[in-house]
Amino acid sequence: MKELSFNQGRLAFSLETFEMTPCLPDFVERRIRLFYLDEAGFRETSFTDFEDLKALWQEKPLVWLHLSGTLSEDFWKPLSKILDVGDEEIKYLRSPHRNSLFEDFPNSMFWTLHRPSVSEAFDAIETVNFLLTEKFLVTRQFSHDAAFTTVVHKLMSKGNKLQGFGVDCLAAELIGDIIGAYEEGLKMGGTKLEAIQNKIIRHPGKEELRLINRAQQVIWIILNTVWPITTILQAILRSKNPALTENGKLDMQFRLQEADSVVRLFETYRAMSYNLMDVYVSGIGLKTNETTTVLTIIATLFLPPTLIAGIYGMNFQIPEVHVQFGYYFCLAAMFAVSAGLLIWLKRKGFIDFL
């Protein structure tokens, strides 16, 4: 497996190219958060050194280590010894991955997922790595985005009601947080699609066409990152690894159902984005018809005056020319005929913009 560079751990959506591009610097300050479970509940403590981490792991039924930022080789070697995992597992854990994947090892399970960063707009997608052993969970993030904050607050609020809560159940909660981030993106996306449709109905133009193209690209990019969640969860459920308990399987099964629902919703939104193109084409057609109608009516109104002017512009004697007010009579006839024609078109319903 080829290791990707650190800045590939977070990809941002470019409005110019409609592609995902790396957005992290080569170095990000490291942050380590350490959590454990005891009789009193889910708690957080500070990471000091690996000896204390090993003692905590041996004493507590559940330990979670969340890593973010740049970590040196001096950090990974002691961690592999404590977890009793090989270089291959550490290699998977420390680096970002272009695609989601799952690997089942003798003493652990590894998988990687992509988590969207959603605010008022679709900002970026970040790789999140998971390494699960029987009592220890390590998650690897590359930026300092506030991932899993909701899960931490939720577990801490439960106090001593988490008895029997295993490390695999914790992993299922974290996967649920990632799925929830996609659900937030869906809510935002639905509002954006509705706004684009309203713009198209009011005024279909080049900017609206660009918005449609952007929406289609964003939905396709997110769909390519959300549907592998179902594949990863199916692989976890098939695993015979001792780190996965029956309670953990039940939680993972529930997350699989959630992921399936989100994928189906994204497929629906993708179809809606392509339907926007039909709305756009219809809007352009209506706009063209309105323009053609206006030009046709203008040409129709000028036909009678042009006929009268043509007749009285002939090069031979016309009796009305010698009438004292003949000139004014011709002008009045032109205006009267055009006005009468305009009123007739309006009453017949051929004109609806006056």
Side-chain angles (χ1 to χ4, degrees):
M1 181 195 73
K2 181 181 178 181
E3 292 191 54
L4 299 179
S5 58
F6 176 83
N7 61 3
Q8 296 281 338
R10 191 175 191 272
L11 303 178
F13 182 72
S14 172
L15 295 178
E16 287 75 24
T17 62
F18 292 165
E19 295 178 351
M20 302 301 293
T21 56
C23 61
L24 284 178
D26 294 332
F27 178 84
V28 176
E29 179 186 5
R30 85 170 190 176
R31 292 181 185 175
I32 302 174
R33 300 186 68 183
L34 181 59
F35 304 87
Y36 66 90
L37 181 68
D38 59 12
E39 294 80 5
F42 192 75
R43 298 175 178 272
E44 181 175 6
T45 185
S46 59
F47 174 82
T48 53
D49 54 46
F50 286 99
E51 291 299 324
D52 290 341
L53 178 63
K54 184 177 181 180
L56 189 68
W57 176 47
Q58 292 173 344
E59 296 172 1
K60 306 301 180 182
L62 182 156
V63 177
W64 172 27
L65 189 66
H66 182 63
L67 311 172
S68 60
T70 305
L71 296 162
S72 64
E73 190 67 27
D74 295 335
F75 178 87
W76 296 112
K77 288 183 178 179
L79 181 63
S80 64
K81 291 180 180 178
I82 291 176
L83 298 178
D84 191 23
V85 295
D87 293 338
E88 190 68 16
E89 289 98 311
I90 296 299
K91 182 179 178 181
Y92 275 104
L93 179 63
R94 68 187 178 191
S95 303
H97 302 274
R98 196 176 306 277
N99 301 311
S100 298
L101 58 93
F102 172 83
E103 290 292 338
D104 205 350
F105 297 99
N107 299 327
S108 63
M109 289 191 295
F110 171 85
W111 66 88
T112 181
L113 298 173
H114 293 90
R115 186 181 188 275
S117 175
V118 179
S119 56
E120 294 182 355
F122 168 68
D123 295 328
I125 290 180
E126 182 172 20
T127 299
V128 181
N129 296 335
F130 293 76
L131 185 64
L132 178 69
T133 65
E134 288 191 45
K135 293 173 55 180
F136 207 115
L137 174 66
V138 184
T139 53
R140 171 72 165 120
Q141 191 182 353
F142 296 86
S143 73
H144 294 325
D145 285 359
F148 308 138
T149 303
T150 304
V151 175
V152 171
H153 292 164
K154 173 185 173 182
L155 295 178
M156 287 185 172
S157 66
K158 290 188 175 182
N160 58 2
K161 297 179 181 179
L162 290 174
Q163 300 304 319
F165 185 80
V167 67
D168 49 353
C169 298
L170 172 61
E173 289 288 338
L174 300 182
I175 294 175
D177 181 83
I178 293 176
I179 297 173
Y182 283 105
E183 291 175 348
E184 289 297 321
L186 276 173
K187 295 177 183 178
M188 181 197 70
T191 304
K192 293 291 185 182
L193 288 176
E194 184 177 352
I196 293 173
Q197 180 170 303
N198 292 334
K199 284 186 177 181
I200 293 172
I201 293 174
R202 290 194 303 267
H203 182 273
K206 292 183 178 179
E207 179 61 25
E208 286 69 27
L209 183 61
R210 185 175 181 275
L211 290 174
I212 294 173
N213 189 19
R214 175 184 173 185
Q216 290 175 348
Q217 292 296 325
V218 169
I219 292 173
W220 179 246
I221 289 171
I222 298 180
L223 185 59
N224 280 338
T225 58
V226 69
W227 71 259
I229 296 178
T230 60
T231 305
I232 297 298
L233 287 168
Q234 289 169 354
I236 293 174
L237 290 171
R238 289 195 301 266
S239 173
K240 302 299 182 182
N241 198 292
L244 190 64
T245 64
E246 290 301 320
N247 289 336
K249 286 184 177 181
L250 290 175
D251 289 345
M252 291 292 182
Q253 185 66 44
F254 180 70
R255 299 307 174 198
L256 177 60
Q257 294 173 1
E258 286 186 329
D260 285 334
S261 299
V262 171
V263 170
R264 287 194 297 269
L265 282 174
F266 269 107
E267 290 286 0
T268 302
Y269 276 52
R270 184 187 177 199
M272 289 174 60
S273 70
Y274 282 100
N275 290 337
L276 284 178
M277 185 60 70
D278 296 334
V279 176
Y280 175 81
V281 172
S282 300
I284 289 293
L286 290 173
K287 188 177 179 181
T288 303
N289 290 340
E290 289 179 358
T291 304
T292 305
T293 301
V294 171
L295 294 177
T296 303
I297 291 173
I298 292 174
T300 303
L301 294 177
F302 275 94
L303 281 176
T306 303
L307 176 62
I308 296 173
I311 292 174
Y312 283 90
M314 293 180 180
N315 191 21
F316 57 84
Q317 293 295 326
I318 300 176
E320 289 84 357
V321 174
H322 301 287
V323 177
Q324 183 177 2
F325 299 101
Y327 171 72
Y328 300 103
F329 173 77
C330 289
L331 288 180
M334 292 179 187
F335 282 110
V337 172
S338 295
L341 183 59
L342 185 62
I343 294 171
W344 181 80
L345 291 173
K346 176 66 176 177
R347 289 183 175 178
K348 289 293 185 181
F350 294 109
I351 302 176
D352 57 0
F353 52 85
L354 293 178

